[in-house]
């Protein structure tokens, strides 16, 4: 199988590429990525990985909005998996146009290419398309309405709607997955868990938006990659699969666990300005992927996962140092 991976240099895309190399040696991959600030430090090159796997993985530096480029790449691959996006909520509040342009027009470009060449597409989406869930409400299901809150989630919701329309109107062979919050190595330091780990490594304190009562369902990025392969292998065309692990934690709980790992006092927290339009909670009903596709996340202890993530960030400072400076400058400007 020849697989085209858009956004394959980002956090989840690069995990998927590495994961695929280990578990599917027969698959050859092309990464298409424009290397925005989010593809920090050439993820795939860290520890000599790309050099060691260059016979099976090639990298094209290019933009998903470049229709000619995308068309020519899709033509010579069997399956496209579409991760490329602007992905950070706080950034979308500062610069919404870039999010609409990349996430909507970029997805349109991918859809037009798979339509022209009759290729299979898997599109990556997010639980944020459903918007806000109160702390005691049942999880989002397939029939929950799309009610995105931020420019980021609205642009992802728009992209999903385009995929659905291309399946229905043009018979494009596509599936969609909606996943919860990922954690793992190579996540950009602007995101919640890496930001707090790198603050603690520097001897500073974690920064909590608002009261810290907001809840996210944390999934290991390896589990996301395994779910994606299950959908590529056995997913039903036109279906949207909800991918989560029922590992719901408030932001305060996550920070409390990190403080314990570092042996720091429980009160070492700074409460900062809340995010505008901050969604209280996300949670997903995963019965379709659990029951129909038989997928399950690997058994894990979240606490032990955080411990190994702390070690990973401590060992890879060269990878995140420069991005950390830029990211913290932006957070200072935003009052976060
Ligand atoms: P990321 O920001 O780490 O990576 C995005 C990648 O896309 C980067 O490598 C970037 O260079 C690339 N990219 C951006 N604009 C591009 C363009 N115009 N052309 C080509 N490449 C471009 O994001 P991530 O966290 O790895 O998320 C990947 C996907 O998964 C996104 O679609 C996101 O919406 C979705 N998602 C993320 C999470 C999460 O917790 N991080 C959860 C659910 C879904
Ligand atoms: O739910 C899936 C989504 O998860 C993905 O679609 C997004 O691409 C991804 O960025 C993530 O979005 P969130 O907004 O949930 O993630 P973030 O890491 O930005 O924040 C997680 C929670 O932590 C959120 O409630 C905001 C809060 N937060 C974040 C930062 C950076 C803090 O309290 N302090 C912080 O310093």
């Amino acid at each position: 199988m020849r697989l085209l991976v858009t956004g394959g240099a980002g956090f989840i895309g690069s995990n998927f590429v590495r994961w695929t190399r280990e578990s599917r040696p027969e698959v050859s991959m092309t990464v298409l990525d424009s290397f925005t600030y989010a593809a920090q430090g050439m993820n795939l090159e860290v520890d000599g990985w790309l050099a060691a796997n260059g016979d099976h993985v090639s990298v094209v530096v290019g933009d998903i909005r470049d229709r000619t480029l995308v068309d020519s790449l899709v033509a010579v691959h069997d399956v496209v998996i579409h991760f490329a996006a602007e992905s950070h909520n706080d950034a979308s509040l500062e610069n919404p146009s870039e999010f609409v342009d990349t996430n909507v027009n970029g997805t349109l470009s991918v859809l037009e290419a798979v339509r022209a060449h009759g290729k299979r597409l898997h599109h990556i989406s997010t639980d944020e398309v459903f918007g806000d869930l109160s702390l005691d409400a049942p999880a989002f299901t397939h029939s929950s309405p799309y009610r995105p809150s931020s420019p980021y989630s609205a642009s992802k919701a728009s992209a999903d709607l385009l995929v659905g329309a291309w399946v229905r109107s043009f018979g494009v062979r596509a599936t969609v997955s909606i996943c919860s919050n990922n954690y793992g190595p190579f996540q950009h330091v602007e995101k919640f868990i890496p930001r707090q780990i790198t603050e603690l490594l520097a001897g500073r304190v974690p920064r909590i938006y608002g009261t810290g009562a907001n809840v996210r369902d944390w999934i290991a990025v390896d589990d996301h990659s395994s779910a994606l392969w299950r959908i590529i292998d056995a997913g039903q065309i036109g279906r949207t699969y909800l991918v989560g692990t029922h590992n719901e934690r408030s932001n305060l709980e996550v920070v409390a666990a990190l403080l314990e790992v570092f042996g720091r006092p429980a009160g070492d927290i700074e409460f900062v300005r809340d995010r505008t339009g901050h969604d209280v909670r996300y949670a997903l009903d995963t019965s379709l992927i659990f029951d129909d596709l038989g997928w399950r996340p690997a058994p894990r202890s979240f606490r032990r996962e955080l411990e190994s993530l702390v070690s990973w960030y401590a060992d890879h400072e060269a990878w995140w140092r420069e991005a950390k400076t830029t990211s913290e400058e932006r957070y200072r400007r935003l009052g976060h």
Side-chain angles (χ1 to χ4, degrees), residues 9 18 35 39-46 50 59 61 186 319:
R18 287 171 190 257
F35 290 86
Q40 157 197 336
M42 302 289 277
N43 295 350
L44 289 170
E45 287 184 6
V46 170
L50 191 59
V59 176
V61 181
F186 294 107
W319 174 79

Side-chain angles (χ1 to χ4, degrees), residues 7-13 32-36 38-39 62-65 82-87 102 124-127 152 156 179-182 187 191 224:
F11 163 49
I12 304 173
L32 169 62
D33 201 298
S34 62
F35 290 86
T36 67
D63 198 301
I64 50 166
R65 292 165 290 188
H82 178 39
F83 294 94
E86 288 291 340
S87 71
T102 296
I124 313 291
S125 189
T126 166
D127 54 7
Y152 162 67
K156 292 295 292 184
C179 189
S180 62
N181 282 64
N182 287 226
Q187 186 167 32
K191 302 284 168 64
H224 190 180

Side-chain angles (χ1 to χ4, degrees), residues 104 128 148-159:
V104 182
E128 301 202 9
S149 308
S150 73
Y152 162 67
S153 51
S155 67
K156 292 295 292 184
S158 308

Side-chain angles (χ1 to χ4, degrees), residues 116-184:
H117 298 285
K119 299 297 169 77
R120 166 89 165 85
L121 169 68
H122 181 72
H123 170 72
I124 313 291
S125 189
T126 166
D127 54 7
E128 301 202 9
V129 296
F130 296 122
D132 218 1
L133 193 65
S134 60
L135 292 175
D136 55 356
F140 293 123
T141 69
H142 292 92
S143 45
S144 299
Y146 273 28
R147 286 203 182 105
S149 308
S150 73
Y152 162 67
S153 51
S155 67
K156 292 295 292 184
S158 308
D160 294 6
L161 296 180
L162 291 181
V163 176
W166 262 240
V167 171
R168 173 89 192 254
S169 294
F170 302 124
V172 161
R173 290 179 299 128
T175 40
V176 175
S177 53
I178 283 184
C179 189
S180 62
N181 282 64
N182 287 226
Y183 67 86

Side-chain angles (χ1 to χ4, degrees), residues 274-308:
D274 205 355
R275 174 183 285 168
T276 318
H278 195 176
D279 286 333
V280 172
R281 175 177 164 236
Y282 309 123
L284 295 170
D285 174 347
T286 55
S287 44
L288 191 62
I289 191 160
F290 277 30
D291 300 344
D292 281 17
L293 300 189
W295 174 81
R296 289 288 185 288
R300 298 173 192 279
S301 143
F302 188 55
R303 166 61 195 253
R304 274 201 295 279
E305 296 275 287
L306 289 180
E307 284 166 14
S308 47

